[in-house]
Amino acid sequence: PSAVMPLHAAEGKANCDAEPDGSEFHHDFYFGYNRRLSCFSHAVSSLAFSAKGGRLLLSATGTGDVKLWDTGSWAEAGKLKHCMREHPRALIVSPGQSWLVVAYSLFLQVFNCTSPYKLEQSIPAPVDELTKGTSEWICDILSPVRRGGRRRSTARGSHETRPARGRDDRAAHHAGLLAGLVRGAMPHQEPAAEREAHRAVIHVFGRNIVCGFCSGQLQVWSAASLTLEKTLSAHSDSVYGLTPSPRHAPYESRIVSCSADQTLRVWSCQGWYVEQHIHDLRCDRSGVTGVAFSNAGDWLLSVGTELCIWRVIPGRKGRIYLGLHQRLSSILGGDGVRSVAFGKGDAIAVGSRDGVLDIMTKHPGPPPDPA
């Protein structure tokens, strides 16, 4: 792993080591306020854009309400019915935009992705075979299935996606994953409370599932055989976020993790080593709570005390570097950011803890407050 690098030194490090290789991105833009979509009475707990152009934005609040927004006009497109009265753990739209999945603690709800957004299936949290205790859903991921050649189907016969979902078992104190709509759990791993899973993410082409834990560890699983391939000592505190680079980005696959230890780490998926380690010295005790790549993989945003925009810079020998581009502190509101998401045209949806949902967009020129 590379040496620990404070956030204020990251920009200089990236610029010194990076060399143009023909695939360097254009970063002559800044991000600024565009519009306010809504003000809710509870925190905006989850945000997600749909794939393939991002025609939909999903927002969820602490009351369990999930609204859909048309990203062309930014008008409200609908509202999901039969939602649970609690804040969703995760929102996701299938790659083919056929399904909407909302994860609550005890149920996964699968909706049709076309109006009137009918509830198609409700999947209860699994019951542990040994303790008979009920688990809780933490997150849900839909991995794309190849459209050419042999196809795999889910329990409902859909050829589009194969879901994988993370859970937290309070009774047995272990982490597990399920693949497909038919329950097939991974083998239990070291029954310890600190191994409770926080996030799960499907890696490139569905070959790997990566899980982050309260212990700061990352686990890399084979999505095909559901076997553990590698355990990484990633952070010194809870892992709060994981984001994979886009499949069509002009560089090899990366995953960026963030943690309560106030750091971000860039992981190369070829060998699973740390390519860059950044310490955000301006974070409070909550650390870095979220991270996300843009659709083209040329930007990365992180959520801490401030919302930070990073340039993704291709460098020597296929490496990439994150260079701090812009800090956005004036848009956080009184209570700070709760959720963020990158969408079409690099639009950023920002949900605050006091219920404000704003849209930020890209504008030509350098940042007015360069980092």
Side-chain angles (χ1 to χ4, degrees), residues 157-219:
S158 167
H159 295 295
E160 181 194 357
T161 55
R162 185 185 182 191
R165 304 179 292 275
R167 58 174 175 151
D168 160 34
D169 193 324
R170 292 177 299 180
H173 301 296
H174 69 267
L177 289 171
L178 300 181
L181 294 182
V182 179
R183 295 174 185 167
M186 289 181 173
H188 298 338
Q189 300 291 318
E190 298 182 21
E194 66 270 17
R195 298 189 63 79
E196 168 190 343
H198 263 298
R199 295 286 187 270
V201 62
I202 294 293
H203 175 45
V204 178
F205 307 117
R207 292 179 301 179
N208 292 108
I209 301 171
V210 182
C211 302
F213 295 88
C214 288
S215 63
Q217 287 189 343
L218 296 181
Q219 285 187 351

Side-chain angles (χ1 to χ4, degrees), residues 235-293:
H235 295 274
S236 60
D237 209 331
S238 297
V239 178
Y240 281 158
L242 294 168
T243 182
S245 59
R247 296 171 61 187
H248 53 273
Y251 48 80
E252 293 293 331
S253 304
R254 304 300 199 282
I255 281 180
V256 178
S257 60
C258 65
S259 168
D261 64 7
Q262 304 178 335
T263 66
L264 296 93
R265 286 195 170 189
V266 181
W267 298 87
S268 170
C269 299
Q270 309 297 321
W272 295 104
Y273 61 87
V274 177
E275 200 166 42
Q276 191 175 4
H277 183 170
I278 301 171
H279 190 181
D280 187 348
L281 299 177
R282 296 193 185 183
C283 278
D284 57 20
R285 293 182 179 180
S286 298
V288 184
T289 59
V291 65
F293 273 103

Side-chain angles (χ1 to χ4, degrees), residues 109-133:
Q109 291 188 326
V110 183
F111 294 85
N112 195 296
C113 198
T114 57
S115 183
Y117 309 107
K118 179 182 176 183
L119 176 63
E120 299 287 351
Q121 187 177 6
S122 187
I123 306 170
V127 176
D128 187 85
E129 296 179 357
L130 297 178
T131 66
K132 306 303 180 182

